[in-house]
C-alpha cells in the first residue's frame, strides 16, 4: 500500500490527492463512485495538449505541441491526445466533447454536489476551445494534427515529440460532413452545458455549431477520403448518424424549426444499434429524441417514433430482455462487443441506460420489451444494468481488478501510453528520442507515471486480461471510453 501511495503522489502531486477520496481502496468494500468520478475527470488533464493552465493537477505532464497549426497559419494548440499516442484526431475528440457535455447537462446537480462540476466543465471547455479554433472559416475545419504513421513509429512523451505535426483540414472541395457534423454536435452540446454559466461563451460555441451543420449539409462526403491519413486510424462508416445527432443537439440548444424539420423528415432512424461509439452516433440521437418525445417536444410518430423504438430494443437487448436479440455478456457480466477496446462500448451503453432510466422515471413510464418473457422493464432495472457495468469496471469482476487506473487496490500498471510509460520531463528533463523511448516500452516494470482515471481497453469475452504494454487492444486507454462514464458515476452517486 505504501508504494502505491508513493506512485500516486508522483503521478498527481500531493495537493491533488485530496480530490481522490478513497481512490486507493474502495473504503467499505462497496464501489466508491465519488473517488472514481474524481479520477475520471483527472484523466482528461493527463491527456491535454498545448500550454497547460496554472491549475493543472496532473503534475507529471508539461506543455506540448505549442506550434500546432503554424504550418497553415492557424492556432491549433490545445485539445486532447486521443489515446496512448500524440496525434490529435478530430472525430474521436469531438465525440469525447459531446459525451462529456451530455453528462454535464444531464447530471449537473450530482456533479456539483460531488464538487466536480467545475472539473467536468473544464474538461468540456478544454476540448470545445480547440474545436472552435479548428473551425477556421465557415467551410474550413481542421480535423487532424500529426501524422499517424510517423507518430506510431516513435515512443516519445508529448513534451519531447519531434514527429511531423502536419495539420489536415476539410473544406468545400474536400468535404468531411461526418466530422463537421460531429463537431457541430460537440459545440452545440457544450453550448447547452454553458448557457446558464457563461452566455457569451455559449453563444460563440453555438455560432460555430450552426455554421458547421450547414457546411456538413451542403458538402457531403466522408472525411477520410479527403484526409487519407485518418483512414488507417479512425475511418468513418457514414455521415447520416452524425447529421441527425447534430440536428438533435442543435434543436435542444436552439429550438430551431429547421432542426426539428430535419429530425422529422430525415427518414433514417438508424435502426436497432449494437453500440454508441466515436463512429456511430445513432444510439445517442435515439436516446435524445426519446426524451424529447417524453417531454412533448417531438411527436411519437414517424421518424422520432422509429428512433425511440430502436433505442428501446437496444436497451431491452443489453438488459437481457430482448429474447433472441439479447446482447452478449461475458461470464462475469461485462457487455461484450469486440476484442479491441471493448470497454468503450460498455461505458457508452451504461450511460445511455442511465439517462433513459431517468427520462422514463421523470415521465412515470417503463420500457416495454417484446421478448425475453418480461414485457415491462422499469427504470430501476435499466439503472441496475448501468450500475453493474460500472461496478465491473471498478473491480466487481472475476479478475478482481479495477480497469480504471488509480482506483482500487489492484489496477493496470503497464498501460499502453507513451507519456505514462516514459519518465516525466519534470523529473527527467533530458530529451528522450523517438527510438530511445522504446527502451521504456519494452520494460516489464510498471509505468513510472500513473495515468489516474484512465480506463483501459479491458478484458476479453471470457474476462481475461493481460497487463502488458504491448497488448494495446486491452491496455490502451482512450478519451472516448472515459467520457461516458463521467455521467454514469455522477448518476450513481445519488439514487
Amino acid at each position: 500500500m505504501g508504494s502505491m501511495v508513493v506512485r500516486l503522489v508522483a503521478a498527481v502531486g500531493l495537493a491533488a490527492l485530496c480530490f481522490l477520496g478513497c481512490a486507493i481502496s474502495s473504503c467499505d468494500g462497496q464501489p466508491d463512485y465519488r473517488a472514481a468520478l474524481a479520477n475520471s475527470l483527472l484523466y482528461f488533464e493527463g491527456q491535454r495538449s498545448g500550454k497547460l493552465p496554472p491549475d493543472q493537477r496532473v503534475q507529471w505532464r508539461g506543455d506540448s505541441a505549442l506550434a500546432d497549426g503554424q504550418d497553415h497559419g492557424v492556432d491549433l494548440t490545445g485539445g486532447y491526445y486521443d489515446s496512448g499516442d500524440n496525434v490529435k484526431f478530430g472525430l474521436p475528440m469531438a465525440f469525447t466533447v459531446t459525451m462529456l457535455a451530455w453528462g454535464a447537462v444531464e447530471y449537473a446537480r450530482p456533479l456539483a454536489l460531488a464538487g466536480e462540476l467545475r472539473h467536468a466543465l473544464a474538461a468540456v471547455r478544454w476540448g470545445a476551445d480547440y474545436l472552435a479554433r479548428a473551425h477556421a472559416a465557415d467551410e474550413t475545419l481542421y480535423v487532424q494534427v500529426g501524422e499517424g504513421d510517423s507518430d506510431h513509429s516513435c515512443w516519445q512523451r508529448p513534451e519531447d515529440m519531434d514527429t511531423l505535426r502536419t495539420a489536415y483540414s476539410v473544406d468545400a472541395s474536400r468535404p468531411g460532413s461526418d466530422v463537421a457534423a460531429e463537431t457541430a454536435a460537440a459545440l452545440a452540446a457544450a453550448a447547452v452545458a454553458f448557457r446558464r454559466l457563461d452566455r457569451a461563451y455559449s453563444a460563440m460555441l453555438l455560432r460555430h455549431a450552426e455554421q458547421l451543420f450547414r457546411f456538413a449539409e451542403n458538402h457531403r462526403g466522408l472525411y477520410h477520403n479527403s484526409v487519407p491519413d485518418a483512414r488507417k486510424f479512425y475511418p468513418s462508416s457514414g455521415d447520416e448518424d452524425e447529421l441527425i445527432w447534430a440536428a438533435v443537439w442543435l434543436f435542444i440548444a436552439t429550438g430551431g424549426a429547421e432542426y426539428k424539420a430535419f429530425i422529422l423528415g430525415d427518414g433514417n432512424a438508424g435502426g436497432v444499434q449494437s453500440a454508441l461509439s466515436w463512429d456511430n452516433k445513432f444510439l445517442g440521437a435515439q436516446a435524445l429524441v426519446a426524451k424529447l418525445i417524453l417531454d412533448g417536444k417531438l411527436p411519437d410518430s414517424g421518424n422520432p417514433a422509429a428512433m425511440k423504438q430502436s433505442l428501446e430494443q437496444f436497451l431491452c437487448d443489453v438488459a437481457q430482455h430482448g429474447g433472441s436479440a439479447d446482447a452478449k455478456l461475458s461470464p462475469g457480466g461485462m457487455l461484450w462487443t469486440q476484442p479491441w477496446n471493448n470497454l468503450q462500448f460498455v461505458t457508452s451503453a451504461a450511460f445511455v441506460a442511465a439517462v433513459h432510466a431517468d427520462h422514463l422515471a421523470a415521465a412515470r413510464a417503463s420500457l416495454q420489451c417484446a421478448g425475453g418473457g418480461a414485457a415491462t422493464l422499469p427504470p430501476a432495472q435499466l439503472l441496475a444494468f448501468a450500475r453493474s457495468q460500472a461496478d465491473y469496471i471498478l473491480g466487481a469482476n472475476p479478475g478482481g481488478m479495477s480497469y480504471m487506473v488509480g482506483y482500487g487496490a489492484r489496477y493496470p500498471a503497464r498501460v499502453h501510453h507513451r507519456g505514462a510509460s516514459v519518465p516525466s520531463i519534470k523529473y527527467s528533463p533530458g530529451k528522450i528520442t523517438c527510438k530511445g523511448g522504446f527502451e521504456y516500452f519494452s520494460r516489464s516494470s510498471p509505468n513510472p507515471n500513473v495515468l489516474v482515471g484512465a480506463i483501459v481497453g479491458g478484458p476479453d469475452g471470457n474476462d481475461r486480461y493481460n497487463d502488458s504494454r504491448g497488448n494495446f487492444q486491452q491496455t490502451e486507454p482512450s478519451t472516448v471510453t472515459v467520457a461516458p462514464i463521467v455521467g454514469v458515476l455522477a448518476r450513481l452517486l445519488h439514487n
Side-chain angles (χ1 to χ4, degrees):
M1 181 66 74
S3 64
M4 195 175 298
V5 172
V6 171
R7 289 172 64 204
L8 280 173
V9 170
V12 302
L14 183 59
L17 282 180
C18 63
F19 293 101
L20 301 184
C22 296
I24 296 172
S25 67
S26 299
C27 301
D28 60 359
Q30 298 301 312
D32 187 343
Y33 299 126
R34 184 173 188 139
L37 173 62
N39 284 9
S40 68
L41 289 165
L42 201 62
Y43 162 73
F44 289 97
E45 296 190 23
Q47 292 298 109
R48 284 172 170 170
S49 179
K51 178 74 175 175
L52 300 182
D55 61 354
Q56 169 81 8
R57 295 177 294 163
V58 179
Q59 289 297 302
W60 54 267
R61 282 297 321 283
D63 300 340
S64 62
L66 298 182
D68 280 1
Q70 286 186 4
D71 56 332
H72 289 269
V74 293
D75 178 8
L76 296 177
T77 59
Y80 293 112
Y81 302 118
D82 71 304
S83 297
D85 51 33
N86 299 325
V87 180
K88 294 191 296 202
F89 292 102
L91 189 59
M93 193 192 305
F95 177 72
T96 294
V97 172
T98 311
M99 294 306 296
L100 282 170
W102 190 3
V105 170
E106 292 280 351
Y107 298 117
R109 185 171 182 273
L111 282 165
L113 289 173
E116 295 296 336
L117 181 59
R118 66 189 181 95
H119 295 135
L121 292 175
V124 173
R125 190 162 193 154
W126 192 267
D129 283 351
Y130 170 82
L131 295 175
R133 286 195 297 273
H135 183 215
D138 283 5
E139 295 187 343
T140 300
L141 175 67
Y142 285 87
V143 300
Q144 183 175 322
V145 182
E147 294 187 357
D149 285 336
S150 65
D151 179 88
H152 284 64
S153 70
C154 294
W155 195 262
Q156 280 182 297
R157 57 196 179 195
E159 295 83 1
D160 277 340
M161 62 178 168
D162 46 21
T163 51
L164 292 171
R165 300 297 293 174
T166 308
Y168 300 90
S169 64
V170 295
D171 55 36
S173 62
R174 297 169 297 130
S177 47
D178 41 13
V179 69
E182 177 56 57
T183 307
L187 294 177
V192 175
F194 277 97
R195 64 183 170 190
R196 293 183 180 176
L197 299 172
D198 190 336
R199 291 185 180 180
Y201 181 64
S202 176
M204 180 273 289
L205 296 178
L206 196 53
R207 284 194 300 272
H208 281 285
E210 294 196 279
Q211 289 172 0
L212 282 163
F213 185 75
R214 289 194 294 270
F215 170 41
E217 272 196 297
N218 294 335
H219 302 284
R220 299 285 295 273
L222 301 186
Y223 89 111
H224 65 235
N225 293 326
S226 300
V227 183
D229 193 73
R231 184 189 297 273
K232 301 177 185 178
F233 303 97
Y234 288 99
S236 173
S237 59
D239 66 353
E240 291 181 324
D241 56 318
E242 282 91 6
L243 285 165
I244 190 72
W245 173 241
V248 174
W249 273 113
L250 282 162
F251 179 59
I252 292 169
T254 68
E258 66 270 38
Y259 306 119
K260 183 176 182 178
F262 189 94
I263 299 165
L264 294 175
D266 178 67
N268 188 352
V272 180
Q273 297 296 312
S274 60
L276 169 63
S277 73
W278 59 264
D279 181 42
N280 188 337
K281 289 62 177 226
F282 274 123
L283 182 62
Q286 291 166 357
L288 291 169
V289 165
K291 181 181 189 300
L292 291 167
I293 291 173
L294 290 169
D295 291 344
K297 296 178 180 178
L298 287 175
D300 194 3
S301 61
N303 204 57
M307 295 181 75
K308 178 171 171 280
Q309 290 164 7
S310 293
L311 165 74
E312 291 170 345
Q313 185 62 57
F314 168 83
L315 291 172
C316 290
D317 293 347
V318 297
Q320 306 300 295
H321 288 278
S324 60
D326 284 350
K328 182 178 179 181
L329 300 179
S330 72
M334 172 187 64
L335 184 65
W336 175 249
T337 301
Q338 69 171 35
W340 192 337
N341 191 12
N342 181 67
L343 289 183
Q344 67 177 304
F345 307 111
V346 174
T347 60
S348 61
F351 182 87
V352 170
V355 297
H356 194 60
D358 290 339
H359 300 162
L360 287 173
R364 299 181 182 274
S366 292
L367 191 60
Q368 302 300 313
C369 296
T376 301
L377 190 61
Q381 202 162 338
L382 280 179
L383 188 61
F385 165 77
R387 184 186 302 275
S388 74
Q389 299 306 295
D391 289 356
Y392 185 103
I393 290 170
L394 298 179
N397 56 64
M401 172 179 276
S402 163
Y403 295 110
M404 175 181 279
V405 178
Y407 176 91
R410 181 167 171 258
Y411 52 81
R414 297 163 190 85
V415 178
H416 182 97
H417 188 276
R418 285 158 176 77
S421 64
V422 175
S424 169
I425 196 168
K426 300 288 185 68
Y427 312 113
S428 183
K431 183 178 176 66
I432 296 173
T433 64
C434 165
K435 301 302 182 184
F438 282 104
E439 172 193 345
Y440 300 98
F441 172 83
S442 61
R443 290 182 179 181
S444 60
S445 55
N447 288 352
N449 309 304
V450 182
L451 188 63
V452 172
I455 296 176
V456 295
D460 65 19
N462 291 307
D463 304 300
R464 295 174 300 203
Y465 181 79
N466 174 21
D467 187 21
S468 167
R469 210 168 285 118
N471 179 21
F472 56 88
Q473 293 94 337
Q474 291 190 325
T475 66
E476 187 171 19
S478 177
T479 61
V480 301
T481 307
V482 182
I485 208 170
V486 171
V488 175
L489 295 169
R491 174 61 182 86
L492 295 178
L493 273 172
H494 300 280
N495 291 322

